[in-house]
């Protein structure tokens, strides 16, 4: 009986996988991890094998992963050296523990050297490290979470209904975080899927103008896009307290819980059509159609970005 490890069950992504994988897999086949005791309390009470796995403490990770055969590695929040180190620690520990397959949540076009997004640097690093690890792998190259842009859309209530952006008319196949989690769950469960790179995209290739038009049609709001330069975009993020990089101070419950370096260079990549990948792989993998942006706006309360859990200790 193969055992599947779901990491980060305390987070938005991992919690969805944990809730739904139990419909497909017996609990005896599962190991759930979280960096804190609180994050696994619910699942312990339901008889799931639960363990503490903090990527910043590699010396304890091997025991956390022992007995597992396939592992879901959800990309750590924030950008830069901390994330790369966390991913390396998890991969090294998984290998030592006897895990044979890792499913990793990556980013569309992660290996394109001309992709200017600093977000993709960490993903390219992790993919390359996994390729050379000797482990089986599945890379899920996810499009941008629609939740991030829906949250930004509604945050324009504080900025006179203006959504400041420097991504121009570039295209993105926005996808829900739920659908990305669903794809990860199916990839983790499949014994016959390995050494694979899959693009996980939403059902429509959209510009930001298309996205906002859909939101306005559903909500009745009159949000407009304020197309500006990258420096003006940085200034807009500065004004609401968003740090430039991971060394800055992140505000509690921010509507933009990221670094502005990450967001601005991501927008540049979209503007240059470096994020325009559009496929139907999600439907092939899961048997379901991905949720539309319109549906997510119609149920906007369920599709907010929420908090990003980051463990620095």
């Amino acid at each position: 009986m193969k055992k599947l490890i779901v990491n980060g069950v305390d987070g938005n992504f991992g919690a969805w996988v944990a809730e739904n994988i139990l419909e497909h897999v017996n609990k005896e086949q599962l190991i759930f991890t979280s960096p804190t005791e609180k994050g696994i309390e619910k699942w312990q009470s339901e008889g799931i094998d639960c363990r503490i796995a903090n990527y910043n403490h590699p010396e304890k990770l091997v025991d956390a992963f022992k007995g597992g055969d396939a592992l879901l590695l959800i990309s750590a929040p924030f950008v830069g050296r901390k994330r790369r180190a966390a991913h390396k620690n998890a991969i090294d520990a998984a290998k030592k523990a006897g895990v044979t397959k890792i499913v990793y949540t990556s980013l569309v076009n992660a290996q394109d050297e001309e992709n200017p997004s600093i977000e993709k640097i960490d993903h390219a690093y992790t993919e390359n490290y996994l390729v050379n690890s000797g482990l089986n792998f599945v890379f899920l190259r996810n499009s941008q979470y629609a939740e991030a842009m829906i949250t930004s859309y509604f945050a324009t209530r504080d900025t006179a209904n203006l959504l400041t952006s420097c991504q121009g008319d570039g295209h993105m196949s926005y996808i829900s975080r739920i659908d990305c989690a669903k794809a990860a769950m199916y990839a983790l469960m499949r014994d016959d899927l390995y050494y694979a790179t899959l693009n996980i995209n939403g059902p429509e290739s959209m510009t930001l103008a298309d996205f906002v038009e859909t939101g306005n049609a559903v909500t009745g709001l009159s949000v407009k896009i304020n197309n500006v330069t990258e420096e003006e975009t940085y200034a807009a993020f500065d004004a609401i307290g968003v740090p430039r990089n991971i060394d800055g101070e992140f505000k509690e419950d921010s509507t933009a819980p990221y670094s502005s370096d990450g967001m601005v260079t991501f927008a540049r990549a979209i503007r240059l059509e470096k994020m325009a990948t559009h496929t139907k792989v999600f439907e092939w993998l899961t048997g379901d159609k991905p949720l539309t942006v319109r549906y997510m706006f119609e149920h906007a309360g369920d599709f907010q970005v929420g908090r990003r859990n980051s463990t620095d200790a």
Side-chain angles (χ1 to χ4, degrees):
M1 179 181 68
K2 290 204 170 184
K3 297 201 79 167
L4 310 178
I5 304 171
V6 180
N7 285 310
V9 297
D10 58 322
N12 298 303
F13 194 116
W16 190 96
V17 176
E19 291 279 0
N20 290 274
I21 200 170
L22 286 163
E23 297 177 9
H24 305 274
V25 175
N26 293 329
K27 65 182 181 181
E28 290 77 17
Q29 292 177 259
L30 296 169
I31 298 170
F32 288 172
T33 82
S34 162
T36 66
E37 289 283 356
K38 184 177 180 181
I40 54 175
E41 284 176 354
K42 171 185 175 180
W43 304 110
Q44 283 179 315
S45 68
E46 296 186 17
I48 305 292
D49 183 355
C50 294
R51 305 171 187 183
I52 301 299
N54 184 330
Y55 296 165
N56 298 309
H57 297 286
E59 71 281 359
K60 298 179 181 179
L61 283 176
V62 176
D63 286 341
F65 297 158
K66 274 184 178 175
D69 297 288
L71 177 148
L72 173 57
L73 176 56
I74 302 166
S75 174
F78 307 124
V79 183
R81 62 188 180 280
K82 291 180 182 178
R83 177 155 63 172
R84 294 192 292 274
H87 292 175
K88 179 181 181 299
N89 288 342
I91 294 165
D92 289 344
K95 186 173 181 178
K96 290 178 182 176
V99 171
T100 58
K101 170 182 168 181
I102 291 182
V103 175
Y104 173 63
T105 60
S106 188
L107 176 68
V108 290
N109 206 16
Q111 293 290 347
D112 184 351
E113 293 183 0
E114 295 182 353
N115 181 345
S117 167
I118 65 169
E119 290 270 0
K120 71 98 182 180
I121 296 171
D122 302 338
H123 295 295
Y125 168 87
T126 305
E127 286 188 4
N128 291 335
Y129 197 77
L130 260 171
V131 164
N132 291 290
S133 69
L135 298 173
N136 297 334
F137 58 82
V138 179
F139 301 147
L140 300 175
R141 290 187 176 169
N142 296 329
S143 288
Q144 184 178 12
Y145 292 167
E147 286 87 344
M149 293 310 302
I150 290 173
T151 298
S152 296
Y153 173 91
F154 286 107
T156 62
R157 290 167 174 159
D158 299 325
T159 56
N161 285 340
L162 286 177
L163 179 60
T164 297
S165 172
C166 59
Q167 70 185 56
D169 293 324
H171 290 78
M172 170 62 71
S173 296
Y174 297 100
I175 188 166
S176 74
R177 180 169 54 210
I178 286 173
D179 281 338
C180 290
K182 182 183 289 187
M185 179 184 74
Y186 275 92
L188 183 68
M189 292 189 300
R190 281 186 54 169
D191 290 338
D192 62 339
L193 186 62
Y194 46 86
Y195 297 135
T197 299
L198 306 179
N199 289 300
I200 306 300
N201 315 123
E204 308 151 283
S205 181
M206 309 176 80
T207 64
L208 184 58
D210 297 330
F211 188 95
V212 169
E213 182 180 352
T214 302
N216 287 344
V218 171
T219 66
L221 299 176
S222 297
V223 174
K224 293 181 173 58
I225 300 170
N226 182 27
N227 285 303
V228 298
T229 66
E230 291 186 9
E231 282 308 312
E232 289 171 309
T233 307
Y234 274 117
F237 284 131
D238 290 344
I240 61 172
V242 174
R244 292 271 177 134
N245 54 54
I246 59 170
D247 295 322
E249 183 175 346
F250 289 82
K251 293 175 64 175
E252 186 83 7
D253 296 324
S254 170
T255 57
Y258 319 97
S259 68
S260 56
D261 275 345
M263 289 186 284
V264 171
T265 60
F266 197 92
R268 184 191 306 159
I270 295 174
R271 187 175 70 246
L272 297 175
E273 298 288 17
K274 292 297 183 180
M275 299 291 193
T277 303
H278 183 70
T279 71
K280 293 187 177 180
V281 173
F282 172 85
E283 191 172 343
W284 166 81
L285 177 61
T286 68
D288 295 328
K289 292 185 181 299
L291 299 172
T292 65
V293 167
R294 183 176 186 87
Y295 176 89
M296 287 183 267
F297 269 111
E298 289 171 345
H299 303 83
D302 297 326
F303 294 94
Q304 299 295 308
V305 71
R307 296 185 62 176
R308 303 188 88 192
N309 293 349
S310 178
T311 304
D312 294 323

